[in-house]
Amino acid sequence: MASSATPLGSPLGDPLRRPNIATGDVQLPAVRDYEQVDREIIGTLHPTVAWFIGLGTAILFLIIGAAAWIYQIYAGLGVAGYNPPVMWGVYIITFVFWVGIGHAGTLISAILYLFRAGFRTTIYRCAEAMTVFAVMTAGLFPILHLGRPWKFFWLIPYPNWRMIWPNFKSPLVWDVFAILTYLTVSSTFLYVGLIPDIAVLRDRETNPVRKRIFAVLSMGWRNTDREWRHFARMYLFLAAFSTPLVLSVHSVVSFDFAMSLVPGWHATIFPPYFVAGAIFSGIGMVFTIIIPLRKWFGLKHYVTLNHLDAAAKLCLFTSLVVGLAYITEFWVAWYSGNKIEQEYFWNRVFGQWWWAAWIMLICNMVLPLSLFSQALRRNTTWLFILSIFINIGMWFERFVIVIPSLSHEYEPWQWTTYAPTWVDYAILAGSFGWFSMWFLLFIKQLPVIAIAEVKEIIPPKMRHGHGRHDQGVEHGGIANPLTAGGPHTTGGTH
Amino acid sequence: MRRNWASLSGLFAVAAAAIILSAYSGASSPEGNQPQQPINFPHPTHVKTLGMNCLYCHSAANKSPDPGLPAVGTCMGCHLVVAAQKPEIKKLAQYANSNTPIPWERIHKLPEYVRFPHVRHVSAGVTCQKCHGQVQDMAQVYQQESLNMGWCISCHLENKARYDCAVCHY
Amino acid sequence: MSETPSSTGVKRRDFLKILGTTGALAGCNMDEPGKLIPYLVSPDNTVPGVSTYYATTCRECSAGCGIISETRDGRSIKLEGNPDHPVNRGALCAQGQAALQGLYNPDRHRGPMIRRNNRLESATWEEAAALLAQKLRDARADGSASRAVFINEHESGSFPAFLDGVLGAFGIPAHLPYHAEGDTGAAMAHQEAYGAAWPRLDFSAARLIVSFGADFLDGWGASVPQQLDFANARAALDRAPRFIYIGPRRSLTGLNADEWIDCKPGSELSIARAVLGVGGSAADAATQSGVSAERLTRLAAEIAAARPNLVLASGTTGSGGELASAVAAFNRGAGNVGTTILQGEQIVGLSGAATYAEMIDLVGRMNNGQVPMLFVRGVNPVYSMPKAAGFGEAMAKVPFKVGFSSYPDETSALCDLVLPDHHSLEQWGDAEPIPGVLGLQQPVMDPVFNTRATADVLLVAARADATIAGRFPQATYRDWLIARFPGGASAFAGALTTGLARGAPARTTAARRAVPPAAAPTGIEQTEGDFYFLPYPSPTLGMGEGANKPWLQELPDPVSKICWQSWVEIHPLTAQRMGIDSGDHISIRTSVGEVTAPAFLYLGIRQDTVAMPMGQGHTAYGRFAKGIGVNALDAAPSVLDPRTGSFLPVATKARVTKAAGHSRLVTTEGSARQHGRGIARAMLASELGTPKVEHGHEFMGDASHAFLPGLRAPVANDAQGELGSDLSASKGMYAPDHWSGMAKRRWAMTIDLARCTGCSACMTACYAENNIPTVGAPHQGPQLFPDRTGAGANITRSREMTWIRIERYFEGGEHGENEFEARFIPMLCQHCGNAPCEPVCPVYATYHAPDGLNIQVYNRCVGTRYCSNNCPYKVRYFNWFGYGEPDRPQYAFPEPLNWQLNPDVTVRSKGVMEKCTFCVQRIREAENRATVEKRAMQPDEFTVACAQACPSRAITFGDAAEAGWAVNELIEDRRAYHVFEELNTFTAVVYLQKVNHPAPGSPAPAAAAAGVPHGE
């Protein structure tokens, strides 16, 4: 959209606002003109039976989880599988898991935007929505695992009669800020990116009520150059603003562990290790979502194999980083000469938790190596299967961090084991239900592919011979300054 | 101009949230609670008219964490003869004769997790009125002070009393 | 609470007294102001909210320790040892502490009961008394009284004489003083050899202690005084006596020994003969006992060399009373009598108990229908005698059976008339702890239920009978006691303040029926079976009398660390050979019966022996006892010792097979090895001279280890050493010169591992003082084989709430050898000066008080449990359920157990963290007292509950920042160390290393090695 400013003729000199280049790997040969873009993408918005079934299932899971939580609040945390000194369990594991998922979205939509990686164009909207909903899900768990959840607000600094503040030394308080910030910024970013598309929906909408709602949401977007210029700035700044969050948020989450002196937690490697892991898991989840989506919505010619290929390379890279982190952890434990640390890591891989550790190592380190093969990178079936393994592997990474450490600490007399109960599982399932519910609602209300951005990267020739068309084309096509911007854009890129 | 409005609304939102939270946090105090007692005991008559000391009835207040309530026997000590015909005293006599203690409605109540040793406050010269209000003027006793934590702490700070959490909470 | 009294049968009058106080019963919820209930007539010399202390005598066992009951607003809330008492000298064991839960037991009989149409139906005292009087009168009239039998719990004091007096008046022969756990065999042997049934054992005077299965720390004789003396002896360090334990199983006493000689059951006598030089060669002793001959010769030499020494023998080992006599004879010969064996200060309470033979004789007579009337008071023979003895069946043949038991136990269930006795804390009485001293027993509160003292019931019956009424001028037993008390009423009243008086109780003159000597049983070797079967009385539950008290059920067995369960002890190598895993069910079949229980793999037992604790497997006895575990006695034959007529539990072999099923052991043990982490450290007596190695300044940020507790107020910034931030120079309330003055103090504790025997009395004391809920295995209540599934799982998911726990670590024996060492270490909140739990709490629910306490503010806690994750000592406990909320299945204090709750301590609510507070309520109370009395606090003016109870005097508490407190010297001891010192936690709990005494000339065991923590 930066290119949208080109009608003013000035932008090409401005490196920040160089257009979103349609490099060779992101050409969309099958997409001919803007009208087709509007028609096909907006066409995905009509609810189907399958969608209703999916939504129903999601809500069912959500209800199961909610019921389990209510029961837990009534009866006490004892109904979950905690086994002192294992005082954290499935809830914290799942919390970290969902926060991690979120990161890929921001990485793709913000960082890759700044790096002008064209392949992000068709997948970023989906990834970003995933981010928002993942963080919404994650945010529930810190409250959910409290002994007295109705007192959670004591973690928030506010003036009170007791003249007591939260303990700003505690990583858990940092968490509160990190998560809230991340939720605010990423949802703002998502919404701002949506504005031009909402405008298109508004113009295409026939139902007056929906039309009105879209009108409000699009903030009266009129596609004027001034709007596009401000939009471009805004979007750029938001991208720049969210970029550090990708690093900071999960670093803070990792402090929950790194700041304690529990063997296996007390490690300076945790922040980079967690960030890489987060992005890795996020991309896994992106594959899990986008691959079925492009099939069901018939968007294969938008989300092309080139895009997946590029994303898969990113996945491979983060997997290597994570693998390195695993190995480093073991090396550090050995090198530290600290017997307790060494015993703990031995126990992690060959002790009572060997199976979890090996699930983690195989899913996150070994299987992704297959992505060195281009054939597999372009094989959507394999990518999908792999992404499932990655999701499982990353959940178990957090399991391996939380459970074995706590069950095998300094005091041998207090070495125990851990086994979740049905309540843990129900709430875990509920979190997936909650996430899926929001995502399913999203994909049938708003475009999962950024219409405006796609228009930027399709070949310019489509302007000719499309004189007469319905309203939609009037707005989506002719009235859209992009049509004017097209040739300049490409011209600029030649 | 419009920008100011926007920022203002934001401020309002934050302020509202803070107020609600702080209100919630302090809302636990039954300030002003004035229940109907089984016997309408007039403190003014006993304290001001007859000039009785609080410790005559609440005899443990300077010996014990609990102030103590007068036993029904203590009341009857005087009221066997004094004003025996008054309806309220008749009620009292009824309780005494039927060997049932008087179920006074409790007014001043701290949560169970707060320790308030009366003896230390009394011996430190804190007057009863400081916490219980001008009981000698109350025809029907009510809770005058909020008795919430902030209120305690400020008094402790004024009077250089220890204000560490574990002085009261354990 | 206000509806319950009628429903629970709690007496209204007492109940109303309860409400006079603001008891901390509702936990962390700000509930609506309720009612204020005043006294009707204020009791003299009591101030509401201020405790009154009554000195009385503990009747949980027959030793007769002196106790002081703290009574607040009409309820007894805590029992503590009476410091002036000659027997327990201020200490009190777990069973004594738990007497309160007998007093407030929710399953006590609510009132008298009469059997009508074969059901026990509640009746009024008038009906019951009338029935009793009439039956007695008839029996006296028709002479059948001469064949009636009264079984009474064996006790010292005047009551036995009084009882025989009343019985005699009705023509009933003298009562049977039965004591299920008492070692009558040893008592008899002692009587013959020393002239005292249970002399005081002066361990300090001995240079060597040898015990043939005599568990003087857990049940053999009077545990508390013996433990006090033993601990004092061991505290002499390099001059302490070495201790050798001989027996097939290493009991708690055995684990405290420096050497364990694992002989076959029944071979103790041969060993004794060999090593004590009273005939018998080492060679054939070796063949019989399975112990190598050279080891026995070495032992003989050692015993010969170490004079004076102290050799003890139980009368209930496989060898029976003959062993006890042989050993007693040796002691007399070796001149130990008078030096290590002080017959002058004997424990009177352990003499004169009826032998098992008399009980068996009674069973015979009941079977022959020779017993028209049976009275049972304070004992439960139907349960505590082996099933094979058939007491229950025989008792059923008695036409009229009267039970005085206060609890619905197996025996009173068979009775026709139940006249529930007062609890010992509710009635008058006296005891004779040592000769010439009278321990008085007075009610510490009004009766909880509609019960009556048996003595008074008998008096009423006697006075109702015109012909004998004249002999009983006094209307009550109290008057009777006063009447014969030297100095009369005034002297009596005066003596009550200390609970002690000089003088002797009434002595019974009536002679008990003589019993023909029993025939010699078949030797243990002749019985068929592949394993020796060794049932033993549980150190916590005894012979089952403790099983209805949740504190004792929850108290892990000091050896196996298992609670709320029965188990079978089997050697790991044997288990391996039989393919048995820990928790697999094992069934033990003997000639008389079969029992099945999960396996506990224990190093301290012979490979050809299986052992099993008694005390569980009740078929009645209330909600906390019924249906938990199995009774080991069901498989034990009823064997009499021909010499002493006492019961020989260890008398048979058994067929041991792996049974179907597996259940998780309800254990508080994680790993029994410390993996060289230097938690429970020990040193050799020979090392005591060597200078102490000081660590410190070994790595950056490590503060000077001059920072021992007490040297200055612990502020985390101080602990940062050179990395401390200048910005936090202003310490506010944490500055010693701050006007609050709190930072002048540093509460600290030392625990002497050379004294600690692992008896676990401190744990129960802590439960009593701090309102700690008992949580049960799956939940409170019966479960034969608990598992960890189900939402209620508690200890099966290690959710016990013990603020102080005793860890039992093993050193050596990794491959199943029997040379291993056990180390006990009490672990509680260390109140670190630089606590890891504090910075991670997001809401300051846990923080550091200026006086050095690590505080947990329950009402601020939101339950993130991060503090527990970050605690290296794992001493923080979380309220997983509403243990303190009456409407919960997990409620730990069903009415009237909640009467015992300490009003000074908050009952924690669901979802908050809790832990040891160093009894902050006692600290505040002492501070308040001092302030109100306008004086400074005196050193050692008060102490914490665990230290107060400890029968080894291992725990010392005090202000380490002020000179004069005992703790102040001890933290500088040469043996002092901090656990996990390398973590820079600067704990306020300082441990003093255990001291080991290896055999002369033997290579040093792994002790010193294991003393080294990993960080160095």
Side-chain angles (χ1 to χ4, degrees), chain A residues 73-74 77-78 80 82-83 85 87-88 145 147-148 167 170 256 260-261 340 343 409-413 419, chain C residues 670-671 677 788 797-799 807-808 840-842 859 861-866 869-870 874 880 888 910 1014:
Chain A
I73 290 175
Y74 164 73
L77 267 186
Y82 296 106
N83 191 340
M87 290 278 186
W88 286 357
H145 100 120
R148 300 201 292 167
N167 176 3
S170 167
D256 290 350
S260 79
L261 45 62
I340 292 181
E343 273 183 35
E409 253 200 72
Y410 292 94
E411 187 83 1
W413 192 256
Chain C
S671 163
R677 299 189 177 187
R788 70 197 298 263
R797 281 188 189 266
S798 351
R799 290 170 181 173
E807 300 182 350
R808 187 256 302 112
V840 298
C841 176
N859 46 310
C861 179
V862 296
T864 66
R865 309 183 295 292
Y866 199 170
N869 289 350
N870 216 26
K874 290 286 167 267
W880 297 105
R888 304 271 174 187
K910 181 181 74 193
H1014 57 274

Side-chain angles (χ1 to χ4, degrees), chain A residues 153 158-164, chain B residues 21-22 24-25 148-150:
Chain A
F153 63 91
Y158 66 92
N160 63 75
W161 304 36
R162 305 183 191 87
M163 303 187 267
I164 306 178
Chain B
L21 279 175
S22 45
Y24 181 27
S25 77
N148 66 33
M149 181 169 148

Side-chain angles (χ1 to χ4, degrees), chain B residues 2-117:
Chain B
R2 177 180 290 134
R3 271 159 140 260
N4 297 350
W5 284 116
S7 57
L8 270 182
S9 60
L11 286 178
F12 282 134
V14 175
I19 288 162
I20 291 165
L21 279 175
S22 45
Y24 181 27
S25 77
S28 50
S29 152
E31 193 170 349
N33 173 28
Q34 186 175 25
Q36 189 59 47
Q37 297 291 2
I39 295 177
N40 185 4
F41 177 84
H43 275 91
T45 323
H46 293 79
V47 182
K48 287 166 90 178
T49 319
L50 303 171
M52 289 166 65
N53 186 313
C54 307
L55 291 176
Y56 182 85
C57 299
H58 306 283
S59 54
N62 63 348
K63 311 186 195 60
S64 158
D66 288 350
L69 278 168
V72 184
T74 315
C75 307
M76 292 309 287
C78 300
H79 283 294
L80 266 178
V81 285
V82 179
Q85 290 324 305
K86 293 219 178 114
E88 292 300 310
I89 306 301
K90 284 219 172 71
K91 273 197 245 168
L92 170 67
Q94 239 168 22
Y95 282 110
N97 302 336
S98 60
N99 269 1
T100 46
I102 308 164
W104 296 109
E105 290 297 334
R106 181 155 198 182
I107 298 172
H108 297 86
K109 168 99 160 59
L110 294 176
E112 278 77 7
Y113 49 78
V114 182
R115 310 268 160 244
F116 182 85

Side-chain angles (χ1 to χ4, degrees), chain C residues 106-162:
Chain C
D107 300 313
R108 275 178 73 181
H109 287 312
R110 295 297 191 261
M113 287 187 292
I114 300 174
R115 186 174 295 279
R116 300 199 183 89
N117 46 57
N118 208 21
R119 279 184 58 254
L120 276 175
E121 292 171 358
S122 54
T124 68
W125 272 108
E126 290 62 32
E127 298 170 309
L131 177 58
L132 177 70
Q134 170 239 331
K135 286 279 184 183
L136 283 169
R137 202 184 304 109
D138 301 352
R140 182 178 55 77
D142 63 21
S144 65
S146 62
R147 287 176 286 113
V149 176
F150 194 113
I151 309 174
N152 185 36
E153 73 182 304
H154 173 59
E155 59 185 284
S156 70
S158 301
F159 182 75
F162 167 84

Side-chain angles (χ1 to χ4, degrees), chain C residues 463-482:
Chain C
R463 289 158 64 89
D465 189 337
T467 53
I468 59 173
R471 299 199 226 162
F472 302 97
Q474 291 89 5
T476 67
Y477 183 57
R478 176 170 178 273
D479 300 340
W480 185 87
L481 282 173
I482 292 176

Side-chain angles (χ1 to χ4, degrees), chain C residues 41-43 65-66 74 103 227 253 330 366 464 493 501 662 669 681 720 754 783 821 824 828 990 1012:
Chain C
V41 179
S42 60
C65 296
L103 171 67
Q227 191 177 338
T253 310
F330 166 82
M366 291 194 295
H662 174 99
E669 172 186 40
R681 302 189 198 173
Q720 298 309 317
Q783 184 153 6
E821 179 203 352
F824 296 96
L828 65 163
V990 179
V1012 183

